[in-house]
Amino acid sequence: MGRMLGRRLLQLIPVLLGVSFLTFMLLNLLPGDPAQAILGEGATPEAVAALSAQLGLDQPLLLRYWHWLVAALGGDLGMSASSGEPVSALLLQRLPASVQIMVLAQVIALLVAVPVAVLAAGRAGSGLDRLLGLTAFAGVASPPFLVGMILVLIVAVPFGLPATGWIPLTENPFLNARSALLPAFTLAFALYAMYFRVLRADLVTQLTQEEYVTTARAKGVPKSAITWRHVLRNSVFPLITVVGINMGALLGGAVIVETLFAVPGLGKLIVDAIYQRDFMVVQGAVVVIAVAFVLINFAVDVLYAALDPRIRHARTAS
C-alpha cells in the first residue's frame, strides 16, 4: 500500500507541472497586450510600457514562467493586475462558496440517484425503468444554464427563493442555504443522471449474472435484502470512480452556474479575470483547480484500494 501511494504521488508531479506550463503559455500567447487591456485604450505608450515592466511582461516568456513557478512553489501565486491583491488571498476568499455548492450538489445527486437506481434495476425493462431512464437522459442532455433558468422559473419565482446573490455561511446559515439551493440543484441534475446510469447498469449486471445472487435467492433471502446488502456494496466501486472524476468536472460547471446565479465563487472569479485579462488570477485559479482535481482522483485511488484488496495487490505487484 505504501509503495502504491508513493508511486502515485510521484506521478502527480509531472501532471501538475504540465498543466501549469500549458496554461501559462496559452494565456500569454493570446493576442493583445494585457497592460493595454488593463489601462484601457486611451492609455499612453509610456504608461503601458511602465505597467508591462511592473508586471514583468517585458521579460522572455520562459523566464517569466520560471519566476512564477519558483514563487508558486513557495505559495506565492502573484498579484492581481486589476485589483492589486495577492492571487492567493482572492482564491481563498472565493473558494468556500464554490466548495459548498459542489459538495451540496454531490450530496443531493447521490441521495436521489442511489435509491432511484436501485428501484430501476429491481424492475429492469419495466415501464417505470424506462421512465426513470428518460429523466437520466434529460439530465445528460440539458446544459447547466438551461437547467438553472428552468429552476428559476418553476422554483425561485413561485416559492420566493433568491434567484441571484449569495449570503456567506458565517453571516447567516439559513439565508446561505436558501442562496445555495438553486445553484446546487442545477449542478446536481447532471450528476444525478450520470450516477443513475452508472449504478443502474452495474446493478442490473450483478443481479442477472453473479453466482452469489443466485445462491442468496436459493437460500430464500428477499430480493430487497440481496440488492441493498450485497449487490449495492459491489456496485459502489464504479460509482466511487465517477464521483471522484466529477468533483473536478464540477469546477467547469461551476463557471456557468456561478455566473448565472451571481455566486462569488471560483468560477465567477475566472470569468471576471478573463474579461479583465488578469492572467495571474486565471493562472492561479487553473493551477488550484488542477491540484484539487489530481488530489481528489488520488484520494479515489486510495479509497478504491482500501475497499478492494484485489486492486491493492494487483497494483503493488505491477
Side-chain angles (χ1 to χ4, degrees), residues 27 34 38 79-84 87 90 272-283:
L27 288 174
I38 293 169
M79 303 291 290
S80 168
S82 57
S83 67
V87 174
L90 289 174
D272 293 341
I274 290 173
Y275 280 124
Q276 298 166 355
R277 297 182 67 86
D278 198 340
F279 290 160
M280 278 296 177
V281 173
V282 179
Q283 174 77 12

Side-chain angles (χ1 to χ4, degrees), residues 83 91 99 102 114 155 186 270:
S83 67
L91 296 178
V99 171
M102 289 188 294
V114 172
V155 177
T186 301
I270 294 174

Side-chain angles (χ1 to χ4, degrees), residues 136-167:
F137 281 117
V140 172
S142 303
F145 72 87
L146 177 61
V147 176
M149 289 189 290
I150 292 174
L151 286 177
V152 169
L153 291 175
I154 67 174
V155 177
V157 175
F159 294 98
L161 291 176
T164 58
W166 180 258
I167 305 297

